[in-house]
């Protein structure tokens, strides 16, 4: 089985400034980290792999070249492969444009790897935007069933069973493959990277996807114009 985890590199600060000309975040001079909720999604994938070593975990990030750092963090804990969707035409994308680019990138990775993703995991939201829209929009773009606010998950009887947080408490939902799940904070923290994996992650290839790699993408739907 194959799991894709979508991650975002975000500023490690609560003091976020907006460029008044472009209405986009000013990231220069701000330390960046992997979005914490995406870390919970990656840990959920890793826990599935703990029980089934045949599972392969891919990490996908859309961002500037320096977002490779976030992907190397993922490789140092549990991801097996990493892809960076990076292109000047992607810059300034809102959530709708971002989910469109990510969904097209997911299709491209499946084609390149000769696989199909059984599960696509995302954090429930990014701490620099708090929209909680990208994961559900990816599900809509791909026409996949989705579960939001996941805490933990397990594969049972050919389905994915997700413990989901609700306003009233918790419930367990089952969903068929392929599917999209967004994760919130469970009652444990993601695993730490081992020294061996950190060393290996520094040498691993992070594959790039640009606009010219995405056959048929509508450029009117991406970037600031999109």
């Amino acid at each position: 089985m194959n799991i894709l985890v979508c991650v975002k590199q975000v500023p490690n600060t609560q003091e976020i400034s907006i460029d008044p000309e472009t209405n986009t975040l000013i990231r220069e001079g701000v330390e960046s980290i992997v979005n914490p909720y995406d870390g919970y999604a990656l840990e959920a994938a890793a826990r599935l792999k703990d029980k089934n070593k045949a599972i392969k975990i891919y990490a996908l990030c859309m961002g500037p070249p320096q977002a490779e750092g976030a992907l190397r963090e993922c490789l140092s804990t549990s991801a097996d492969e990493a892809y960076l969707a990076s292109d000047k035409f992607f810059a300034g994308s809102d959530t709708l444009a971002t989910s469109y680019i990510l969904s097209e990138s997911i299709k491209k990775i499946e084609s390149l790897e000769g696989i199909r993703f059984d599960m696509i995991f995302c954090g429930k939201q990014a701490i620099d935007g708090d929209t909680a829209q990208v994961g559900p929009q990816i599900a809509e773009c791909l026409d996949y069933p989705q579960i939001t606010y996941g805490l933990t998950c397990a594969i049972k009887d050919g389905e994915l069973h997700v413990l989901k947080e609700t306003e009233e408490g918790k419930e367990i939902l089952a969903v068929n493959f392929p599917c999209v799940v967004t994760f919130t904070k469970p009652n444990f923290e993601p695993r730490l990277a081992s020294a061996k994996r950190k060393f290996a992650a520094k040498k691993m290839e992070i594959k790039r996807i640009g606009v010219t790699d995405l056959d048929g993408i509508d450029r009117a739907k991406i970037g600031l114009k999109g």
Side-chain angles (χ1 to χ4, degrees), residues 122-140:
C122 308
K124 72 163 184 174
Q125 63 195 61
I127 62 171
D128 62 349
D130 288 335
T131 65
Q133 294 173 346
V134 171
Q137 286 172 342
I138 290 174
E140 288 298 310

Side-chain angles (χ1 to χ4, degrees), residues 62-75:
M62 186 184 110
Q66 57 266 34
E68 277 196 5
L71 288 169
R72 293 203 185 279
E73 283 189 51
C74 297
L75 290 168

Side-chain angles (χ1 to χ4, degrees), residues 6 20 25 32 35 45 51 58 92 94 99 101 106 119 124 129 133 143 158 209-210 225:
C6 293
L25 294 176
S32 295
N35 179 51
K51 297 179 179 179
Y58 295 76
D94 64 3
S99 59
I101 294 166
I106 289 167
M119 294 158 271
K124 72 163 184 174
Q133 294 173 346
D143 195 26
I209 295 175
K225 291 183 179 179

Side-chain angles (χ1 to χ4, degrees), residues 4-198:
L4 179 80
V5 182
C6 293
V7 301
K8 184 180 182 182
Q9 189 180 61
V10 297
N12 186 18
T13 178
Q14 298 299 316
E15 300 297 325
I16 296 175
S17 299
I18 303 294
D19 187 320
E21 296 295 325
T22 63
N23 291 319
T24 58
L25 294 176
I26 298 174
R27 300 179 183 271
E28 289 76 14
V30 179
E31 180 191 6
S32 295
I33 59 172
V34 174
N35 179 51
Y37 290 109
D38 299 340
Y40 303 138
L42 182 61
E43 178 62 20
R47 289 186 174 222
L48 289 179
K49 185 171 181 176
D50 288 342
K51 297 179 179 179
N52 182 356
K53 299 302 182 184
I55 288 175
K56 191 169 183 179
I57 301 173
Y58 295 76
L60 169 63
C61 179
M62 186 184 110
Q66 57 266 34
E68 277 196 5
L71 288 169
R72 293 203 185 279
E73 283 189 51
C74 297
L75 290 168
S76 71
T77 56
S78 53
D80 300 298
E81 302 281 349
Y83 279 84
L84 176 63
S86 185
D87 198 291
K88 64 180 181 180
F89 290 100
F90 299 162
S93 294
D94 64 3
T95 60
L96 187 61
T98 296
S99 59
Y100 175 54
I101 294 166
L102 288 172
S103 63
E104 291 300 307
S105 298
I106 289 167
K107 295 174 188 176
K108 182 64 178 181
I109 296 169
E110 289 180 324
S111 175
L112 290 171
E113 298 285 342
I115 60 170
R116 187 177 188 187
F117 292 114
D118 302 282
M119 294 158 271
I120 298 170
F121 289 175
C122 308
K124 72 163 184 174
Q125 63 195 61
I127 62 171
D128 62 349
D130 288 335
T131 65
Q133 294 173 346
V134 171
Q137 286 172 342
I138 290 174
E140 288 298 310
C141 286
L142 297 175
D143 195 26
Y144 287 176
Q146 61 177 296
I147 296 175
T148 57
Y149 289 85
L151 292 165
T152 60
C153 61
I155 298 170
K156 297 180 180 179
D157 302 322
E159 299 175 319
L160 186 67
H161 290 225
V162 180
L163 178 64
K164 170 185 168 70
E165 184 179 70
T166 71
E167 292 182 357
E168 292 77 25
K170 299 173 184 176
E171 63 183 358
I172 296 176
L173 298 179
V175 63
N176 292 322
F177 304 113
C179 61
V180 175
V181 183
T182 69
F183 287 87
T184 189
K185 179 177 172 55
N187 61 357
F188 50 83
E189 292 300 320
R191 66 195 63 195
L192 299 175
S194 66
K196 181 179 180 180
R197 286 194 68 107
K198 275 186 177 181

